[in-house]
Amino acid sequence: MNPTTTKTDKGAAAGATTGEETTATAPGTEPVAGTAADAPEHQPAYDDEHAAEFDQEQRDDDGEPGDRDDRDDRDGPGARAGLRTGPATGLASAAAAVVATALGIASLTGTWLGRVASERETLIGQITTSQTGSPAQQISEIYGDAWHTTALVNGLFALVAVITGLVVLSRSRRPLWIRAVALAGAVLGGLGLLLSAGMYADFFLPLPSTGS
């Protein structure tokens, strides 16, 4: 072995080691960017997290055609139209239920329209029997026709209340309070219809007789 060559190699290795230490610890110098030693400790976890998110997005974008079609169907114009018409339909059902209840109450208590029609029939009866009407005819023309007219008008209000309430009850997936109000309107309308039919047929309050 050549002693000169060995000594030279050892000196070169020692110089390289000293140079590396000087480069790493020399004051006033900045670390070289992009080296693995200077990278932050959390950098691998940060890269893994973003890689996982990217892979998830790729899987979502590259899903099965059926899945994409299902999402398109759920988020398509039909779904948006359903969202737009849903509140409007619920509002219409609520209003119809309240109207049914109001009409049912009106059929039991009477209405302005029924009173006007009754007074008109009374006036017509007075004109018809003013000269040659018998007592029985006067009672029938003046009072009986007026009462029957009132019963007829109230019965029409009751019928509309029943129909409106049943229509609201036939609609599915309505809130409980809407169905309760609609049921109340239908029941009140049914009672009004029953009473109106009895009044019109002189079943509950028949016309008085003169006794002759």
Side-chain angles (χ1 to χ4, degrees):
M1 179 181 293
N2 192 347
T4 306
T5 304
T6 304
K7 186 181 297 185
T8 303
D9 294 339
K10 291 180 179 179
T17 304
T18 307
E20 290 176 357
E21 293 175 357
T22 305
T23 302
T25 59
T29 60
E30 296 180 356
V32 179
T35 61
D38 298 332
E41 294 181 357
H42 65 277
Q43 185 68 28
Y46 180 79
D47 293 340
D48 293 342
E49 181 181 356
H50 277 265
E53 292 180 357
F54 180 76
D55 293 340
Q56 183 64 33
E57 292 178 357
Q58 288 296 109
R59 286 194 297 270
D60 293 340
D61 294 338
D62 299 337
E64 296 296 331
D67 296 339
R68 289 198 297 271
D69 293 340
D70 293 341
R71 288 196 297 269
D72 293 340
D73 293 339
R74 290 194 299 267
D75 301 333
R80 291 192 293 270
L83 292 176
R84 288 195 299 267
T85 58
T89 305
L91 181 62
S93 298
V98 174
V99 169
T101 304
L103 291 175
I105 295 174
S107 67
L108 293 174
T109 60
T111 62
W112 173 83
L113 181 61
R115 186 174 66 252
V116 171
S118 175
E119 292 176 353
R120 182 177 181 275
E121 288 296 327
T122 300
L123 180 60
I124 293 175
Q126 291 175 351
I127 294 173
T128 303
T129 62
S130 60
Q131 299 295 329
T132 59
S134 62
Q137 185 180 5
Q138 290 180 356
I139 292 174
S140 177
E141 295 289 338
I142 296 175
Y143 300 103
D145 291 347
W147 294 345
H148 293 164
T149 302
T150 301
L152 179 62
V153 174
N154 291 343
L156 292 177
F157 274 82
L159 181 61
V160 174
V162 171
I163 294 175
T164 305
L166 292 179
V167 168
V168 175
L169 289 174
S170 65
R171 306 298 298 271
S172 61
R173 292 184 296 180
R174 290 293 176 266
L176 181 61
W177 74 269
I178 293 180
R179 299 178 64 85
V181 174
L183 179 61
V187 170
L188 291 175
L191 291 176
L193 189 61
L194 180 62
L195 292 177
S196 298
M199 291 288 294
Y200 189 84
D202 295 331
F203 180 76
F204 296 124
L205 295 175
L207 291 175
S209 60
T210 58
S212 59

